[in-house]
Amino acid sequence: MDAATSLKKKLAILLIVALIFILLFNVNLPNNNNKSIPKPSGPAGVCSLGVSEQTITPLKNTKHLLVSAYVDQRVKDLDIRIIGIFKRDSIQPLHCVFCCTNVLSKTTPATILQHSDHFGFPFATTDVMCQIPQNCNATRVTLLTTPDKESASDSTWLPIRNQKSDRQKEENMKFDFTVCISNLFGDYNNVLQFAETLEMYRLLGVNRVVIYNTSCGPELDRLLQNYSQEGFVEMVPWPIDKHLNPSRGWLHSEHGGDVHYFGQLTTLNECIYRSMERSRYVLLNDIDEIIMPYQHDDLMSLMNTLQNQNPNTGIFLIENHTYPKKPFNQSKWGPLPQWNGVPGFDILVHIYREEPNRNIYHPHKLIVQPRWVIMGKMVECSALAFI
Ligand SMILES: *[C@@H]1O[C@H](CO)[C@@H](O)[C@H](O)[C@H]1NC(C)=O
Ligand SMILES: *[C@@H]1O[C@H](CO)[C@@H](O)[C@H](O)[C@H]1NC(C)=O
Ligand SMILES: *[C@@H]1O[C@H](CO)[C@@H](O)[C@H](O)[C@H]1NC(C)=O
Ligand SMILES: *[C@@H]1O[C@H](CO)[C@@H](O)[C@H](O)[C@H]1NC(C)=O
Ligand SMILES: *[C@@H]1O[C@H](CO)[C@@H](O)[C@H](O)[C@H]1NC(C)=O
């Protein structure tokens, strides 16, 4: 099958799927507002108090925020990576303390790694590395401002994710492809483009789309509730606006605020670790962007080819190109009748790429094997990709 036919076929299927979906969706709205958050189960005692159930946890006695903790033993003598958002002018020494099954560990000094791409904002993505003391079966971790472990009694613990038991061999990774969508905020309600993009990714073999949600419009909320019940979409609550004054822009001197673009660099970093033990490839992009292979039927066969050509490569950069707002058929301006009442932009009538201007720089999107991404690399690439 040649590429053009294959693309046409995909678009046709997508159109049908999306149509059925929207039609059914309008008639049959699930009510899932009363989903309860499961209580964490674990041993009673010193460690069972105060386990954070939030995605963003303020760190006691500091101005910093903690997001999540992951096992990461790729660097010798370091075991745990805590992902956080730290106030750059208030970095102080920190100490790691663990909950070892049900006993408090002694503290170990924390290694604080601030990402360099802060764009002038007072808060920046910061990773904290911790070593687990010997003979400790660590289940939870927190950070203290003093080496005195007794001060941990009223701290909030972070559960340690990607523990050995949930780890799998590369061959039995649960997912081939995860897409990480950077933050949703404001009253963004572009349902049509969102649905078309998600269905396109499904056709291209994506198994999971992770979305960090600060807020969104009512119709998009319903659409995403449905996709996340089905399991294709994983919604991560991202109430950054409850803790900081997030910027809608990427440069502090122009846009003001506490943190770059609703903390986008932190969420993408988080998404890579979230995917590390379960997804072979991770694609980092925005919802208004699609990576569309034109010589392969799906993303996995594209990656197999690229990987054969570049066997020792774990980070692939894909050049950004624009599809003009003008639809491909001039006489078809305006919404198609079948999308009446569906808010948003119809990407399927924009199928011709603008000829790239080779005199200007085009930014890149990333497809990574998550285990290949280490801090330094990530910083370097994120500066390229997300400006
Ligand atoms: C989501 O919407 C589709 C299409 O309307 C429907 O078939 C499916 O049952 C819905 N899923 C959930 C979990 O509500
Ligand atoms: C460590 O703790 C986990 C969870 O409580 C348990 O499943 C595991 O068996 C423990 N491992 C050791 C070596 O004690
Ligand atoms: C997104 O976040 C907002 C604000 O917390 C919430 O009201 C909404 O239900 C969330 N949507 C989804 C699909 O998770
Ligand atoms: C990709 O290119 C388009 C047009 O040049 C631009 O509007 C968009 O912001 C770019 N995306 C990124 C992430 O730079
Ligand atoms: C553009 O749309 C018009 C009206 O639907 C149709 O008559 C025409 O054949 C279309 N042209 C192309 C190139 O698809």
Side-chain angles (χ1 to χ4, degrees):
M1 180 166 28
D2 70 78
T5 327
S6 148
L7 179 61
K8 270 188 210 142
K9 197 176 121 196
K10 272 177 199 144
L11 289 175
I13 297 173
L14 174 64
L15 205 66
I16 293 163
V17 171
L19 183 58
I20 292 173
F21 181 81
I22 301 283
L23 288 179
L24 288 177
F25 186 68
N26 280 341
V27 207
N28 176 17
L29 282 178
N31 176 7
N32 50 6
N33 291 335
N34 31 18
K35 236 188 332 185
S36 65
I37 303 160
K39 286 267 174 290
S41 56
V46 61
C47 297
S48 66
L49 298 166
V51 178
S52 179
E53 289 178 20
Q54 313 298 324
T55 333
I56 302 177
T57 308
L59 177 58
K60 210 182 64 165
N61 301 328
T62 73
K63 302 197 163 85
H64 312 315
L65 303 171
L66 301 182
V67 178
S68 45
Y70 290 96
V71 174
D72 184 3
Q73 294 174 315
R74 293 173 298 170
V75 176
K76 190 170 173 295
D77 293 336
L78 296 177
D79 301 304
I80 302 292
R81 181 183 300 265
I82 298 175
I83 293 170
I85 301 177
F86 276 35
K87 183 133 193 281
R88 291 193 293 129
D89 67 3
S90 317
I91 307 281
Q92 70 264 67
L94 292 172
H95 307 269
C96 309
V97 63
F98 293 89
C99 171
C100 317
T101 313
N102 200 19
V103 192
L104 216 54
S105 75
K106 65 178 179 107
T107 60
T108 56
T111 307
I112 300 173
L113 307 168
Q114 204 185 97
H115 290 214
S116 57
D117 40 5
H118 50 70
F119 304 102
F121 289 98
F123 284 80
T125 307
T126 303
D127 291 11
V128 179
M129 302 296 301
C130 291
Q131 186 174 18
I132 302 177
Q134 275 191 341
N135 304 323
C136 166
N137 184 0
T139 54
R140 288 161 197 165
V141 62
T142 194
L143 295 170
L144 306 174
T145 47
T146 70
D148 165 25
K149 74 174 184 181
E150 299 317 317
S151 63
S153 58
D154 57 347
S155 293
T156 308
W157 294 100
L158 297 181
I160 298 174
R161 300 167 200 264
N162 290 356
Q163 298 261 24
K164 274 214 172 62
S165 54
D166 10 295
R167 272 196 260 172
Q168 301 181 345
K169 289 228 166 6
E170 177 104 26
E171 309 85 70
N172 349 316
M173 286 252 189
K174 198 162 141 203
F175 302 138
D176 281 336
F177 243 99
T178 297
V179 175
C180 300
I181 301 285
S182 50
N183 316 0
L184 210 53
F185 58 83
D187 50 7
Y188 186 80
N189 204 28
N190 194 341
V191 176
L192 188 51
Q193 178 162 4
F194 230 109
E196 288 177 345
T197 304
L198 289 174
E199 291 303 331
M200 183 64 80
Y201 274 135
R202 210 201 294 263
L203 291 174
L204 291 174
V206 168
N207 310 99
R208 176 61 62 89
V209 179
V210 181
I211 300 171
Y212 291 80
N213 170 31
T214 304
S215 60
C216 63
E219 282 82 12
L220 187 59
D221 187 32
R222 294 208 306 249
L223 182 89
L224 292 175
Q225 300 282 0
N226 178 290
Y227 272 110
S228 72
Q229 278 192 8
E230 180 199 325
F232 182 56
V233 162
E234 177 174 342
M235 296 301 297
V236 182
W238 187 250
I240 186 77
D241 53 343
K242 302 281 184 299
H243 302 276
L244 299 177
N245 169 23
S247 178
R248 284 168 185 257
W250 63 273
L251 198 60
H252 182 250
S253 53
E254 263 176 49
H255 305 102
D258 287 332
V259 68
H260 167 267
Y261 211 66
F262 279 77
Q264 183 194 55
L265 296 173
T266 309
T267 54
L268 292 176
N269 194 32
E270 212 278 334
C271 194
I272 288 180
Y273 285 94
R274 182 177 287 258
S275 309
M276 199 164 280
E277 301 300 334
R278 68 181 192 192
S279 188
R280 201 164 301 183
Y281 290 101
V282 173
L283 159 59
L284 305 175
N285 74 351
D286 292 330
I287 194 62
D288 61 354
E289 297 166 325
I290 294 185
I291 308 282
M292 172 63 79
Y294 66 100
Q295 294 177 338
H296 294 85
D297 281 346
D298 56 39
L299 287 168
M300 229 18 228
S301 46
L302 168 69
M303 291 319 292
N304 288 338
T305 304
L306 290 177
Q307 205 72 72
N308 278 337
Q309 291 164 0
N310 309 274
N312 289 314
T313 306
I315 300 177
F316 295 85
L317 302 178
I318 292 121
E319 200 179 52
N320 178 19
H321 289 282
T322 313
Y323 285 69
K325 281 227 161 66
K326 205 172 66 181
F328 70 94
N329 186 338
Q330 293 279 4
S331 53
K332 286 193 175 162
W333 272 104
L336 297 178
Q338 58 266 50
W339 304 140
N340 268 342
V342 182
F345 187 73
D346 184 2
I347 56 170
L348 294 184
V349 297
H350 303 265
I351 59 172
Y352 294 120
R353 192 181 86 170
E354 238 168 42
E355 230 9 82
N357 176 355
R358 284 291 160 209
N359 298 320
I360 59 166
Y361 173 75
H362 298 271
H364 294 86
K365 298 279 110 181
L366 293 178
I367 293 181
V368 302
Q369 286 189 50
R371 283 186 207 168
W372 278 66
V373 179
I374 50 166
M375 232 294 280
K377 280 244 167 55
M378 184 56 206
V379 170
E380 194 186 296
C381 295
S382 63
L384 273 181
F386 309 122
I387 301 176

